Amino acid sequence: MKYTHIIWDWNGTLLNDIGASLASVNDMLAMRGREPIGIDYYRECIGVPIIRFYEKVFDLPSEDYSLIIKQYNNGYLHHLKDCGLTENAVEVLDYFTQKGVKQAIVSSSNNEQLYANVKKYGIFDRFEAVLGAADYFAGSKIERAVEYLGKSGGYRALVVGDLEHDAEMAAELGADCVLITSGHENRERLYSANARVISDLKELISIAEEE
């Protein structure tokens, strides 16, 4: 097997939750009497840290940013009931488990919420570690990934995500990176990152088996 470790992003990668995110943002815009945004504009604006997104979509200087984060999270959890795992996610996770590859989730999501959601979808036991953030502000997750892999005593790692930030994390780790187009960021931004781009998680199997 080409890799000893797979570092997974959660939102938009293993969890197909872009619909919940977009719906929550549009609920918040409606509260403010503003027009909704479409999925293309959402994917164009999203990024890490998440404040950059709100600066583009809301009149942030006139807002209480903590309130925005709270409203978004409440709406997201409400709409999340309509979301499921990304197609072929379970099959690919099981493939790497059977191959003895250590898998971890490293996410910008709040740790408590992340734990609950991974358990909800019945895949918690596939992971050696599930590493979320201490808050809800969706900042960088690089430090947690570095700390996790630093305990391994040597690795050949693959980072799988849906954002340019995942490619940045892979570069910091000295890992390969694959980005999926069905997540939160648009194709143009993914293709500009230092990563391979796929449209189906199942493609990871052939990538991992390459010489």
Side-chain angles (χ1 to χ4, degrees):
M1 172 52 57
K2 188 175 180 179
Y3 299 109
T4 60
H5 293 73
I6 309 288
I7 306 294
W8 292 93
D9 172 58
W10 176 242
N11 304 96
T13 302
L14 287 171
L15 180 63
N16 183 14
D17 66 347
I18 188 170
S21 294
L22 179 61
S24 181
V25 168
N26 281 332
D27 288 346
M28 293 161 66
L29 289 170
M31 292 176 199
R32 291 157 174 81
R34 300 180 61 178
E35 291 296 313
I37 62 171
I39 193 168
D40 289 342
Y41 186 65
Y42 172 92
R43 282 179 160 147
E44 179 183 328
C45 293
I46 202 70
V48 175
I50 196 64
I51 192 170
R52 295 176 187 169
F53 172 80
Y54 290 113
E55 287 171 343
K56 295 173 183 175
V57 178
F58 291 81
D59 181 17
L60 205 55
S62 66
E63 295 277 0
D64 177 344
Y65 185 53
S66 294
L67 178 61
I68 278 187
I69 295 299
K70 182 178 180 179
Q71 288 178 338
Y72 168 80
N73 195 58
N74 288 342
Y76 171 81
L77 292 176
H78 171 72
H79 292 290
L80 190 60
K81 65 181 184 295
D82 299 321
C83 299
L85 294 176
T86 300
E87 186 177 10
N88 295 319
V90 174
E91 178 181 346
V92 173
L93 288 170
D94 286 346
Y95 166 81
F96 286 119
T97 297
Q98 290 161 10
K99 291 292 185 179
V101 178
K102 295 180 179 178
Q103 301 183 84
I105 293 174
V106 181
S107 174
S108 296
S109 293
N110 170 265
N111 199 54
E112 183 178 347
Q113 184 172 299
L114 177 64
Y115 261 65
N117 281 330
V118 177
K119 288 179 178 178
K120 170 186 172 183
Y121 291 101
I123 57 173
F124 195 88
D125 63 341
R126 273 73 163 188
F127 303 102
E128 183 181 56
V130 175
L131 306 171
D135 54 39
Y136 290 90
F137 291 94
S140 175
K141 57 193 180 182
I142 293 175
E143 185 176 327
R144 273 171 280 133
V146 169
E147 182 180 2
Y148 165 69
L149 284 180
K151 299 174 182 177
S152 70
Y155 58 83
R156 299 185 309 278
L158 173 66
V159 171
V160 184
D162 70 319
L163 301 176
E164 291 171 291
H165 182 63
D166 294 304
E168 294 168 359
M169 181 172 72
E172 188 74 23
L173 296 169
D176 291 345
C177 184
V178 173
L179 302 176
I180 188 164
T181 58
S182 58
H184 289 259
E185 233 170 52
N186 65 25
R187 290 171 182 263
E188 291 75 18
R189 294 171 67 188
L190 299 185
Y191 279 113
S192 70
N194 184 26
R196 293 179 69 164
V197 179
I198 61 174
S199 58
D200 189 321
L201 288 179
K202 204 168 182 180
E203 295 175 61
L204 290 170
I205 295 175
S206 59
I207 290 172
E209 292 177 346
E210 291 174 355
E211 294 295 334

